[in-house]
Amino acid sequence: MEYEKLINGAIEAREYAYAPYSNFKVGAAVLMEEDKIFTGCNIENASFGATNCAERTAIFKGVAEGYKTIKAVAVTGDPNSYTFPCGICRQVIAEFAENGDIEIIVVKNKNEYMIMTLDEILPGSFTKKDLNN
Ligand code: THU
């Protein structure tokens, strides 16, 4: 099942996190069209605002290779608790999500994860539909 691949992808990607300032490592995996999976980690910077979250790293990798539709996202941070996508990442997920029902898999470890929809974690989202009105 794709979930297992996504969960493992996020856990493996966390190993590559560049987080010397926060020491908080995050990994993400995003399922896009054609069942393509892209993974990413957080990449920090001495100028803290230049930091990129794991979710956006994964999404931007996909977009940069021609994939623009997100079907599911897995994210994992602290292995002892559930790390949800930050607000900016929720907004970026919304930009490319197939619809509001896509699943966000919040992973504590291989066997413990929560599944929520994008609409549940980002209700009343502002997206291109608003600009097209
Ligand atoms: N971080 C992510 O990678 N994803 C999130 O959704 C939450 C925050 C990273 C950014 C920063 O490198 C570290 O976690 C602490 O905020």
Side-chain angles (χ1 to χ4, degrees), residues 5 14 22 26 30 51 55 62 84 121-122:
K5 274 198 213 165
R14 184 173 54 197
S22 71
V26 184
V30 57
T51 291
E55 300 92 314
F84 278 74
I121 65 163
L122 188 67

Side-chain angles (χ1 to χ4, degrees), residues 89-108:
C89 289
R90 292 177 201 207
Q91 183 67 27
V92 173
I93 293 167
E95 183 68 29
F96 297 104
E98 188 166 49
N99 57 56
D101 295 325
I102 65 155
E103 290 176 319
I104 312 298
I105 307 155
V106 181
V107 181
K108 192 198 269 193

Side-chain angles (χ1 to χ4, degrees), residues 21-133:
Y21 306 107
S22 71
N23 289 315
F24 190 80
K25 297 184 170 193
V26 184
V30 57
L31 177 68
M32 301 186 94
E33 63 264 48
E34 297 167 22
D35 285 342
K36 275 283 276 188
I37 293 175
F38 295 91
T39 61
C41 59
N42 54 330
I43 304 170
E44 297 187 344
N45 194 285
S47 175
F48 298 164
T51 291
N52 207 59
C53 288
E55 300 92 314
R56 280 178 288 139
T57 302
I59 293 165
F60 294 161
K61 277 172 66 181
V63 174
E65 291 195 22
Y67 295 82
K68 288 192 175 59
T69 309
I70 298 176
K71 296 162 80 172
V73 178
V75 59
T76 189
D78 179 352
N80 297 308
S81 70
Y82 293 101
T83 301
F84 278 74
C86 79
I88 294 174
C89 289
R90 292 177 201 207
Q91 183 67 27
V92 173
I93 293 167
E95 183 68 29
F96 297 104
E98 188 166 49
N99 57 56
D101 295 325
I102 65 155
E103 290 176 319
I104 312 298
I105 307 155
V106 181
V107 181
K108 192 198 269 193
N109 59 52
K110 235 175 206 171
N111 303 310
E112 293 178 281
Y113 52 88
M114 289 173 60
I115 299 179
M116 296 183 75
T117 68
L118 175 60
D119 279 344
E120 283 174 322
I121 65 163
L122 188 67
S125 61
F126 177 85
T127 63
K128 45 187 167 293
K129 72 181 179 317
D130 299 290
L131 293 175
N132 291 339
N133 280 335

